[in-house]
Amino acid sequence: LSLQETKPLNTETRPKPEPQFVKNLFGDISKTYDKANDWITFGMARQWRKALVEWSDGNPKAQILDCATGTGDLAIDFKNTLPDSNVIGSDFCEGMLEYAPLKAKNKNLEIKFEVADVTQLPYANETFDIVSIAYGIRNVLDRKKAFSEMARVLKPGGRMMILETGEVNNPLLKSMIQIYFKNVVPKIGGWISGRRDAYEYLQKSSGLFPSGTQFIEELENTGLFNKIQFRSLMGGASYIYKAIK
Ligand SMILES: C[S@@+](CC[C@H](N)C(=O)[O-])C[C@H]1O[C@@H](n2cnc3c(N)ncnc32)[C@H](O)[C@@H]1O
């Protein structure tokens, strides 16, 4: 396939993630979110959250905030890896958060889960060593505000860790993934959750989202971080960003 042949799949515009719409959407699919996620990503999202935790180099007693934690998987991975750390998982969708405490309890992990909007965090300045967000930032309308809030609550030298979908470089892999996300993902998501439209939206929201150097540039332009790095996963299907305050 030539690059030109793959182009038409890329011409869709990204829908604007209006906060109330996003909150309702995740509330509607919360019950089956984990199952659908495992099916859609073949369990790879689980590995990639673990890779984020590993790269964050958290000290054993780190203060950690996972924003847009959803059903809590990244917060759980942090606490599992760093048992003496203090972990808070927050999300603005109560429906998603509902499932997190039981998941942590079943693993004997003490994690606080709280309702909070990443663009308006209810925490004091310079509280955390690590602030993370996995597959959340592309659903936030005002990203600049989210970055400034995450930076505000980070201690100097603290790390903001982001995991997000991205653009695959290899043209063949890229068109295969695009076809999969456009044609298969809404079917799987719809079949598991009964809300095919929600998975159509999620598929569209990944398309054209800035990734790699483009996303780094956006972070650099905030002027909030000293050092910003990224790692790509599966040729760019997802990216991990590490920004040091
Ligand atoms: C795709 S889910 C990701 C959940 C989880 N982090 C994971 O890795 O599976 C996106 C989450 O972002 C949350 N979210 C979106 N905008 C938010 C905001 N402004 N503040 C807090 N959470 C937000 C949604 O409620 C949803 O739970």
Side-chain angles (χ1 to χ4, degrees), residues 22-23 26 33 37 49 66-74 90-93 96 116-119 133-136 138-140 202:
V22 169
K23 211 185 270 187
F26 281 104
Y33 174 83
N37 221 12
R49 287 189 203 94
D66 182 35
C67 302
T69 195
T71 58
D73 281 349
L74 184 56
S90 68
D91 198 289
F92 77 168
C93 174
M96 287 289 277
D117 189 322
V118 68
T119 63
I133 183 163
Y135 301 114
R138 76 166 195 272
N139 294 299
V140 176
L202 289 175

PDB file of all heavy atoms in Angstrom, residues 22-23 26 33 37 49 66-74 90-93 96 116-119 133-136 138-140 202, ligand 1:
ATOM      1  N   VAL A  22     -18.264  13.609  27.344  1.00  0.00           N
ATOM      2  CA  VAL A  22     -17.257  12.590  27.692  1.00  0.00           C
ATOM      3  C   VAL A  22     -17.648  11.885  28.994  1.00  0.00           C
ATOM      4  O   VAL A  22     -17.576  10.660  29.107  1.00  0.00           O
ATOM      5  CB  VAL A  22     -15.852  13.245  27.799  1.00  0.00           C
ATOM      6  CG1 VAL A  22     -14.838  12.292  28.427  1.00  0.00           C
ATOM      7  CG2 VAL A  22     -15.360  13.692  26.428  1.00  0.00           C
ATOM      8  N   LYS A  23     -18.089  12.688  29.964  1.00  0.00           N
ATOM      9  CA  LYS A  23     -18.487  12.119  31.262  1.00  0.00           C
ATOM     10  C   LYS A  23     -19.647  11.134  31.085  1.00  0.00           C
ATOM     11  O   LYS A  23     -19.620  10.016  31.611  1.00  0.00           O
ATOM     12  CB  LYS A  23     -18.932  13.269  32.171  1.00  0.00           C
ATOM     13  CG  LYS A  23     -18.663  13.040  33.629  1.00  0.00           C
ATOM     14  CD  LYS A  23     -19.226  14.146  34.479  1.00  0.00           C
ATOM     15  CE  LYS A  23     -18.257  15.285  34.724  1.00  0.00           C
ATOM     16  NZ  LYS A  23     -18.744  16.279  35.687  1.00  0.00           N
ATOM     17  N   PHE A  26     -18.486   7.824  29.210  1.00  0.00           N
ATOM     18  CA  PHE A  26     -17.784   6.837  30.030  1.00  0.00           C
ATOM     19  C   PHE A  26     -18.703   6.247  31.107  1.00  0.00           C
ATOM     20  O   PHE A  26     -18.582   5.070  31.449  1.00  0.00           O
ATOM     21  CB  PHE A  26     -16.494   7.424  30.616  1.00  0.00           C
ATOM     22  CG  PHE A  26     -15.386   7.447  29.594  1.00  0.00           C
ATOM     23  CD1 PHE A  26     -15.023   8.632  28.969  1.00  0.00           C
ATOM     24  CD2 PHE A  26     -14.751   6.282  29.220  1.00  0.00           C
ATOM     25  CE1 PHE A  26     -14.024   8.648  27.999  1.00  0.00           C
ATOM     26  CE2 PHE A  26     -13.759   6.283  28.245  1.00  0.00           C
ATOM     27  CZ  PHE A  26     -13.393   7.472  27.639  1.00  0.00           C
ATOM     28  N   TYR A  33     -16.218  -1.616  30.555  1.00  0.00           N
ATOM     29  CA  TYR A  33     -15.008  -0.944  30.037  1.00  0.00           C
ATOM     30  C   TYR A  33     -13.783  -1.866  30.036  1.00  0.00           C
ATOM     31  O   TYR A  33     -13.086  -1.991  29.023  1.00  0.00           O
ATOM     32  CB  TYR A  33     -14.712   0.330  30.848  1.00  0.00           C
ATOM     33  CG  TYR A  33     -13.410   0.985  30.461  1.00  0.00           C
ATOM     34  CD1 TYR A  33     -13.340   1.841  29.350  1.00  0.00           C
ATOM     35  CD2 TYR A  33     -12.230   0.725  31.164  1.00  0.00           C
ATOM     36  CE1 TYR A  33     -12.144   2.420  28.977  1.00  0.00           C
ATOM     37  CE2 TYR A  33     -11.023   1.303  30.786  1.00  0.00           C
ATOM     38  CZ  TYR A  33     -10.989   2.147  29.695  1.00  0.00           C
ATOM     39  OH  TYR A  33      -9.790   2.713  29.320  1.00  0.00           O
ATOM     40  N   ASN A  37     -11.859  -3.247  26.730  1.00  0.00           N
ATOM     41  CA  ASN A  37     -10.478  -2.804  26.567  1.00  0.00           C
ATOM     42  C   ASN A  37      -9.539  -3.988  26.330  1.00  0.00           C
ATOM     43  O   ASN A  37      -8.665  -3.939  25.469  1.00  0.00           O
ATOM     44  CB  ASN A  37     -10.055  -2.080  27.852  1.00  0.00           C
ATOM     45  CG  ASN A  37      -9.251  -0.846  27.541  1.00  0.00           C
ATOM     46  OD1 ASN A  37      -9.182  -0.407  26.403  1.00  0.00           O
ATOM     47  ND2 ASN A  37      -8.634  -0.288  28.549  1.00  0.00           N
ATOM     48  N   ARG A  49       0.585   0.037  30.473  1.00  0.00           N
ATOM     49  CA  ARG A  49       0.497   0.762  31.758  1.00  0.00           C
ATOM     50  C   ARG A  49       1.659   0.356  32.655  1.00  0.00           C
ATOM     51  O   ARG A  49       2.259   1.172  33.325  1.00  0.00           O
ATOM     52  CB  ARG A  49      -0.841   0.462  32.460  1.00  0.00           C
ATOM     53  CG  ARG A  49      -2.029   1.126  31.805  1.00  0.00           C
ATOM     54  CD  ARG A  49      -3.272   0.971  32.672  1.00  0.00           C
ATOM     55  NE  ARG A  49      -4.468   1.100  31.871  1.00  0.00           N
ATOM     56  CZ  ARG A  49      -5.136   0.078  31.334  1.00  0.00           C
ATOM     57  NH1 ARG A  49      -4.727  -1.156  31.543  1.00  0.00           N
ATOM     58  NH2 ARG A  49      -6.215   0.304  30.604  1.00  0.00           N
ATOM     59  N   ASP A  66      -2.902   9.403  40.068  1.00  0.00           N
ATOM     60  CA  ASP A  66      -3.282   8.967  38.723  1.00  0.00           C
ATOM     61  C   ASP A  66      -4.574   9.681  38.339  1.00  0.00           C
ATOM     62  O   ASP A  66      -5.623   9.460  38.943  1.00  0.00           O
ATOM     63  CB  ASP A  66      -3.466   7.439  38.681  1.00  0.00           C
ATOM     64  CG  ASP A  66      -3.824   6.965  37.280  1.00  0.00           C
ATOM     65  OD1 ASP A  66      -3.308   7.566  36.308  1.00  0.00           O
ATOM     66  OD2 ASP A  66      -4.622   6.014  37.147  1.00  0.00           O
ATOM     67  N   CYS A  67      -4.481  10.564  37.333  1.00  0.00           N
ATOM     68  CA  CYS A  67      -5.657  11.327  36.892  1.00  0.00           C
ATOM     69  C   CYS A  67      -6.398  10.528  35.820  1.00  0.00           C
ATOM     70  O   CYS A  67      -5.804   9.705  35.131  1.00  0.00           O
ATOM     71  CB  CYS A  67      -5.216  12.652  36.289  1.00  0.00           C
ATOM     72  SG  CYS A  67      -4.270  13.671  37.421  1.00  0.00           S
ATOM     73  N   ALA A  68      -7.686  10.807  35.664  1.00  0.00           N
ATOM     74  CA  ALA A  68      -8.508  10.075  34.691  1.00  0.00           C
ATOM     75  C   ALA A  68      -8.286   8.574  34.861  1.00  0.00           C
ATOM     76  O   ALA A  68      -8.103   7.839  33.895  1.00  0.00           O
ATOM     77  CB  ALA A  68      -8.203  10.531  33.261  1.00  0.00           C
ATOM     78  N   THR A  69      -8.273   8.135  36.094  1.00  0.00           N
ATOM     79  CA  THR A  69      -7.919   6.747  36.423  1.00  0.00           C
ATOM     80  C   THR A  69      -8.956   5.737  35.938  1.00  0.00           C
ATOM     81  O   THR A  69      -8.667   4.547  35.818  1.00  0.00           O
ATOM     82  CB  THR A  69      -7.707   6.616  37.952  1.00  0.00           C
ATOM     83  OG1 THR A  69      -7.038   5.399  38.247  1.00  0.00           O
ATOM     84  CG2 THR A  69      -9.021   6.661  38.734  1.00  0.00           C
ATOM     85  N   GLY A  70     -10.179   6.205  35.664  1.00  0.00           N
ATOM     86  CA  GLY A  70     -11.223   5.305  35.169  1.00  0.00           C
ATOM     87  C   GLY A  70     -11.529   4.217  36.175  1.00  0.00           C
ATOM     88  O   GLY A  70     -11.886   4.492  37.324  1.00  0.00           O
ATOM     89  N   THR A  71     -11.344   2.967  35.763  1.00  0.00           N
ATOM     90  CA  THR A  71     -11.608   1.841  36.661  1.00  0.00           C
ATOM     91  C   THR A  71     -10.358   1.482  37.481  1.00  0.00           C
ATOM     92  O   THR A  71     -10.308   0.428  38.108  1.00  0.00           O
ATOM     93  CB  THR A  71     -12.124   0.618  35.880  1.00  0.00           C
ATOM     94  OG1 THR A  71     -11.136   0.278  34.895  1.00  0.00           O
ATOM     95  CG2 THR A  71     -13.441   0.901  35.188  1.00  0.00           C
ATOM     96  N   GLY A  72      -9.344   2.350  37.444  1.00  0.00           N
ATOM     97  CA  GLY A  72      -8.247   2.293  38.414  1.00  0.00           C
ATOM     98  C   GLY A  72      -7.011   1.482  38.073  1.00  0.00           C
ATOM     99  O   GLY A  72      -6.121   1.348  38.916  1.00  0.00           O
ATOM    100  N   ASP A  73      -6.915   0.943  36.846  1.00  0.00           N
ATOM    101  CA  ASP A  73      -5.812   0.003  36.566  1.00  0.00           C
ATOM    102  C   ASP A  73      -4.413   0.582  36.763  1.00  0.00           C
ATOM    103  O   ASP A  73      -3.537  -0.097  37.309  1.00  0.00           O
ATOM    104  CB  ASP A  73      -5.933  -0.569  35.146  1.00  0.00           C
ATOM    105  CG  ASP A  73      -6.968  -1.679  35.089  1.00  0.00           C
ATOM    106  OD1 ASP A  73      -7.420  -2.123  36.170  1.00  0.00           O
ATOM    107  OD2 ASP A  73      -7.328  -2.102  33.980  1.00  0.00           O
ATOM    108  N   LEU A  74      -4.188   1.823  36.326  1.00  0.00           N
ATOM    109  CA  LEU A  74      -2.834   2.373  36.455  1.00  0.00           C
ATOM    110  C   LEU A  74      -2.503   2.650  37.924  1.00  0.00           C
ATOM    111  O   LEU A  74      -1.385   2.386  38.374  1.00  0.00           O
ATOM    112  CB  LEU A  74      -2.685   3.646  35.599  1.00  0.00           C
ATOM    113  CG  LEU A  74      -1.288   4.272  35.580  1.00  0.00           C
ATOM    114  CD1 LEU A  74      -0.216   3.271  35.132  1.00  0.00           C
ATOM    115  CD2 LEU A  74      -1.254   5.497  34.672  1.00  0.00           C
ATOM    116  N   SER A  90      -7.915   9.426  40.592  1.00  0.00           N
ATOM    117  CA  SER A  90      -9.040  10.366  40.489  1.00  0.00           C
ATOM    118  C   SER A  90      -9.611  10.384  39.076  1.00  0.00           C
ATOM    119  O   SER A  90      -8.896  10.115  38.101  1.00  0.00           O
ATOM    120  CB  SER A  90      -8.592  11.772  40.898  1.00  0.00           C
ATOM    121  OG  SER A  90      -7.697  12.280  39.946  1.00  0.00           O
ATOM    122  N   ASP A  91     -10.891  10.680  38.984  1.00  0.00           N
ATOM    123  CA  ASP A  91     -11.564  10.741  37.681  1.00  0.00           C
ATOM    124  C   ASP A  91     -12.804  11.616  37.857  1.00  0.00           C
ATOM    125  O   ASP A  91     -13.342  11.701  38.962  1.00  0.00           O
ATOM    126  CB  ASP A  91     -11.991   9.331  37.237  1.00  0.00           C
ATOM    127  CG  ASP A  91     -12.295   9.249  35.749  1.00  0.00           C
ATOM    128  OD1 ASP A  91     -13.332   9.795  35.309  1.00  0.00           O
ATOM    129  OD2 ASP A  91     -11.488   8.642  35.011  1.00  0.00           O
ATOM    130  N   PHE A  92     -13.240  12.280  36.776  1.00  0.00           N
ATOM    131  CA  PHE A  92     -14.448  13.110  36.923  1.00  0.00           C
ATOM    132  C   PHE A  92     -15.734  12.335  36.646  1.00  0.00           C
ATOM    133  O   PHE A  92     -16.819  12.883  36.771  1.00  0.00           O
ATOM    134  CB  PHE A  92     -14.344  14.413  36.127  1.00  0.00           C
ATOM    135  CG  PHE A  92     -14.557  14.355  34.632  1.00  0.00           C
ATOM    136  CD1 PHE A  92     -14.728  15.536  33.913  1.00  0.00           C
ATOM    137  CD2 PHE A  92     -14.619  13.157  33.933  1.00  0.00           C
ATOM    138  CE1 PHE A  92     -14.945  15.518  32.547  1.00  0.00           C
ATOM    139  CE2 PHE A  92     -14.825  13.124  32.568  1.00  0.00           C
ATOM    140  CZ  PHE A  92     -14.979  14.312  31.876  1.00  0.00           C
ATOM    141  N   CYS A  93     -15.606  11.044  36.283  1.00  0.00           N
ATOM    142  CA  CYS A  93     -16.799  10.241  35.996  1.00  0.00           C
ATOM    143  C   CYS A  93     -17.017   9.240  37.137  1.00  0.00           C
ATOM    144  O   CYS A  93     -16.274   8.262  37.273  1.00  0.00           O
ATOM    145  CB  CYS A  93     -16.611   9.513  34.669  1.00  0.00           C
ATOM    146  SG  CYS A  93     -17.936   8.377  34.301  1.00  0.00           S
ATOM    147  N   MET A  96     -17.288   5.431  36.222  1.00  0.00           N
ATOM    148  CA  MET A  96     -16.041   4.696  35.979  1.00  0.00           C
ATOM    149  C   MET A  96     -15.368   4.370  37.307  1.00  0.00           C
ATOM    150  O   MET A  96     -14.900   3.247  37.532  1.00  0.00           O
ATOM    151  CB  MET A  96     -15.085   5.526  35.103  1.00  0.00           C
ATOM    152  CG  MET A  96     -15.480   5.622  33.648  1.00  0.00           C
ATOM    153  SD  MET A  96     -15.279   4.071  32.730  1.00  0.00           S
ATOM    154  CE  MET A  96     -13.547   4.104  32.299  1.00  0.00           C
ATOM    155  N   ALA A 116     -12.460  13.822  40.744  1.00  0.00           N
ATOM    156  CA  ALA A 116     -11.763  15.090  40.486  1.00  0.00           C
ATOM    157  C   ALA A 116     -11.582  15.283  38.983  1.00  0.00           C
ATOM    158  O   ALA A 116     -11.359  14.321  38.241  1.00  0.00           O
ATOM    159  CB  ALA A 116     -10.400  15.105  41.166  1.00  0.00           C
ATOM    160  N   ASP A 117     -11.689  16.541  38.583  1.00  0.00           N
ATOM    161  CA  ASP A 117     -11.474  16.913  37.181  1.00  0.00           C
ATOM    162  C   ASP A 117     -10.005  17.291  37.023  1.00  0.00           C
ATOM    163  O   ASP A 117      -9.488  18.092  37.812  1.00  0.00           O
ATOM    164  CB  ASP A 117     -12.383  18.118  36.863  1.00  0.00           C
ATOM    165  CG  ASP A 117     -12.404  18.449  35.383  1.00  0.00           C
ATOM    166  OD1 ASP A 117     -11.342  18.345  34.728  1.00  0.00           O
ATOM    167  OD2 ASP A 117     -13.474  18.820  34.893  1.00  0.00           O
ATOM    168  N   VAL A 118      -9.363  16.733  36.015  1.00  0.00           N
ATOM    169  CA  VAL A 118      -7.926  16.991  35.840  1.00  0.00           C
ATOM    170  C   VAL A 118      -7.646  18.460  35.498  1.00  0.00           C
ATOM    171  O   VAL A 118      -6.524  18.942  35.681  1.00  0.00           O
ATOM    172  CB  VAL A 118      -7.320  16.026  34.787  1.00  0.00           C
ATOM    173  CG1 VAL A 118      -7.848  16.329  33.393  1.00  0.00           C
ATOM    174  CG2 VAL A 118      -5.800  16.066  34.798  1.00  0.00           C
ATOM    175  N   THR A 119      -8.651  19.179  35.059  1.00  0.00           N
ATOM    176  CA  THR A 119      -8.436  20.601  34.753  1.00  0.00           C
ATOM    177  C   THR A 119      -8.684  21.485  35.984  1.00  0.00           C
ATOM    178  O   THR A 119      -8.609  22.711  35.903  1.00  0.00           O
ATOM    179  CB  THR A 119      -9.343  21.083  33.600  1.00  0.00           C
ATOM    180  OG1 THR A 119     -10.711  20.965  33.999  1.00  0.00           O
ATOM    181  CG2 THR A 119      -9.121  20.286  32.332  1.00  0.00           C
ATOM    182  N   ILE A 133      -1.467  10.019  33.705  1.00  0.00           N
ATOM    183  CA  ILE A 133      -2.775   9.967  33.017  1.00  0.00           C
ATOM    184  C   ILE A 133      -2.636   8.992  31.847  1.00  0.00           C
ATOM    185  O   ILE A 133      -1.756   9.144  31.001  1.00  0.00           O
ATOM    186  CB  ILE A 133      -3.255  11.380  32.594  1.00  0.00           C
ATOM    187  CG1 ILE A 133      -4.652  11.343  31.956  1.00  0.00           C
ATOM    188  CG2 ILE A 133      -2.263  12.070  31.643  1.00  0.00           C
ATOM    189  CD1 ILE A 133      -5.350  12.714  31.883  1.00  0.00           C
ATOM    190  N   ALA A 134      -3.470   7.949  31.839  1.00  0.00           N
ATOM    191  CA  ALA A 134      -3.377   6.929  30.792  1.00  0.00           C
ATOM    192  C   ALA A 134      -4.653   6.918  29.953  1.00  0.00           C
ATOM    193  O   ALA A 134      -5.750   6.766  30.489  1.00  0.00           O
ATOM    194  CB  ALA A 134      -3.163   5.539  31.413  1.00  0.00           C
ATOM    195  N   TYR A 135      -4.490   7.085  28.669  1.00  0.00           N
ATOM    196  CA  TYR A 135      -5.614   7.095  27.723  1.00  0.00           C
ATOM    197  C   TYR A 135      -6.705   8.073  28.179  1.00  0.00           C
ATOM    198  O   TYR A 135      -7.891   7.820  27.975  1.00  0.00           O
ATOM    199  CB  TYR A 135      -6.166   5.682  27.523  1.00  0.00           C
ATOM    200  CG  TYR A 135      -5.106   4.739  27.001  1.00  0.00           C
ATOM    201  CD1 TYR A 135      -4.636   3.679  27.751  1.00  0.00           C
ATOM    202  CD2 TYR A 135      -4.543   4.951  25.737  1.00  0.00           C
ATOM    203  CE1 TYR A 135      -3.625   2.840  27.276  1.00  0.00           C
ATOM    204  CE2 TYR A 135      -3.538   4.119  25.249  1.00  0.00           C
ATOM    205  CZ  TYR A 135      -3.094   3.067  26.020  1.00  0.00           C
ATOM    206  OH  TYR A 135      -2.097   2.250  25.534  1.00  0.00           O
ATOM    207  N   GLY A 136      -6.265   9.147  28.815  1.00  0.00           N
ATOM    208  CA  GLY A 136      -7.219  10.139  29.314  1.00  0.00           C
ATOM    209  C   GLY A 136      -7.072  11.479  28.630  1.00  0.00           C
ATOM    210  O   GLY A 136      -8.053  12.132  28.321  1.00  0.00           O
ATOM    211  N   ARG A 138      -6.474  12.582  25.694  1.00  0.00           N
ATOM    212  CA  ARG A 138      -7.128  12.886  24.423  1.00  0.00           C
ATOM    213  C   ARG A 138      -8.627  13.136  24.615  1.00  0.00           C
ATOM    214  O   ARG A 138      -9.311  13.619  23.712  1.00  0.00           O
ATOM    215  CB  ARG A 138      -6.876  11.785  23.392  1.00  0.00           C
ATOM    216  CG  ARG A 138      -7.672  10.536  23.571  1.00  0.00           C
ATOM    217  CD  ARG A 138      -7.606   9.657  22.321  1.00  0.00           C
ATOM    218  NE  ARG A 138      -8.631   8.650  22.347  1.00  0.00           N
ATOM    219  CZ  ARG A 138      -8.501   7.461  22.896  1.00  0.00           C
ATOM    220  NH1 ARG A 138      -7.368   7.119  23.476  1.00  0.00           N
ATOM    221  NH2 ARG A 138      -9.491   6.597  22.863  1.00  0.00           N
ATOM    222  N   ASN A 139      -9.129  12.799  25.806  1.00  0.00           N
ATOM    223  CA  ASN A 139     -10.549  13.050  26.092  1.00  0.00           C
ATOM    224  C   ASN A 139     -10.759  14.359  26.850  1.00  0.00           C
ATOM    225  O   ASN A 139     -11.864  14.638  27.297  1.00  0.00           O
ATOM    226  CB  ASN A 139     -11.116  11.896  26.927  1.00  0.00           C
ATOM    227  CG  ASN A 139     -11.133  10.605  26.144  1.00  0.00           C
ATOM    228  OD1 ASN A 139     -11.787  10.522  25.115  1.00  0.00           O
ATOM    229  ND2 ASN A 139     -10.393   9.615  26.602  1.00  0.00           N
ATOM    230  N   VAL A 140      -9.683  15.126  27.030  1.00  0.00           N
ATOM    231  CA  VAL A 140      -9.785  16.383  27.771  1.00  0.00           C
ATOM    232  C   VAL A 140      -9.812  17.544  26.775  1.00  0.00           C
ATOM    233  O   VAL A 140      -8.940  17.638  25.908  1.00  0.00           O
ATOM    234  CB  VAL A 140      -8.585  16.535  28.744  1.00  0.00           C
ATOM    235  CG1 VAL A 140      -8.629  17.881  29.445  1.00  0.00           C
ATOM    236  CG2 VAL A 140      -8.587  15.395  29.758  1.00  0.00           C
ATOM    237  N   LEU A 202     -14.814   6.900  20.331  1.00  0.00           N
ATOM    238  CA  LEU A 202     -13.464   6.674  20.863  1.00  0.00           C
ATOM    239  C   LEU A 202     -12.465   6.410  19.743  1.00  0.00           C
ATOM    240  O   LEU A 202     -11.321   6.867  19.796  1.00  0.00           O
ATOM    241  CB  LEU A 202     -13.467   5.520  21.865  1.00  0.00           C
ATOM    242  CG  LEU A 202     -14.164   5.841  23.190  1.00  0.00           C
ATOM    243  CD1 LEU A 202     -14.235   4.616  24.077  1.00  0.00           C
ATOM    244  CD2 LEU A 202     -13.431   6.973  23.929  1.00  0.00           C
TER     245      LEU A 202
HETATM  246  C1  LIG B   1     -10.255   5.812  28.099  1.00  0.00           C
HETATM  247  S1  LIG B   1     -10.577   6.077  29.811  1.00  0.00           S
HETATM  248  C2  LIG B   1      -9.025   5.666  30.545  1.00  0.00           C
HETATM  249  C3  LIG B   1      -9.167   5.112  31.922  1.00  0.00           C
HETATM  250  C4  LIG B   1      -7.886   4.553  32.548  1.00  0.00           C
HETATM  251  N1  LIG B   1      -6.916   5.583  32.806  1.00  0.00           N
HETATM  252  C5  LIG B   1      -7.280   3.466  31.720  1.00  0.00           C
HETATM  253  O1  LIG B   1      -6.076   3.501  31.470  1.00  0.00           O
HETATM  254  O2  LIG B   1      -8.001   2.523  31.347  1.00  0.00           O
HETATM  255  C6  LIG B   1     -10.603   7.829  29.920  1.00  0.00           C
HETATM  256  C7  LIG B   1     -10.993   8.365  31.279  1.00  0.00           C
HETATM  257  O3  LIG B   1     -10.749   9.768  31.302  1.00  0.00           O
HETATM  258  C8  LIG B   1     -11.697  10.345  32.155  1.00  0.00           C
HETATM  259  N2  LIG B   1     -11.706  11.791  31.933  1.00  0.00           N
HETATM  260  C9  LIG B   1     -11.928  12.448  30.780  1.00  0.00           C
HETATM  261  N3  LIG B   1     -11.855  13.780  30.965  1.00  0.00           N
HETATM  262  C10 LIG B   1     -11.548  13.969  32.273  1.00  0.00           C
HETATM  263  C11 LIG B   1     -11.323  15.122  33.081  1.00  0.00           C
HETATM  264  N4  LIG B   1     -11.418  16.358  32.565  1.00  0.00           N
HETATM  265  N5  LIG B   1     -11.020  14.946  34.376  1.00  0.00           N
HETATM  266  C12 LIG B   1     -10.940  13.705  34.912  1.00  0.00           C
HETATM  267  N6  LIG B   1     -11.157  12.574  34.211  1.00  0.00           N
HETATM  268  C13 LIG B   1     -11.452  12.707  32.901  1.00  0.00           C
HETATM  269  C14 LIG B   1     -12.971   9.614  31.767  1.00  0.00           C
HETATM  270  O4  LIG B   1     -13.993   9.760  32.737  1.00  0.00           O
HETATM  271  C15 LIG B   1     -12.474   8.195  31.634  1.00  0.00           C
HETATM  272  O5  LIG B   1     -12.589   7.474  32.829  1.00  0.00           O
END
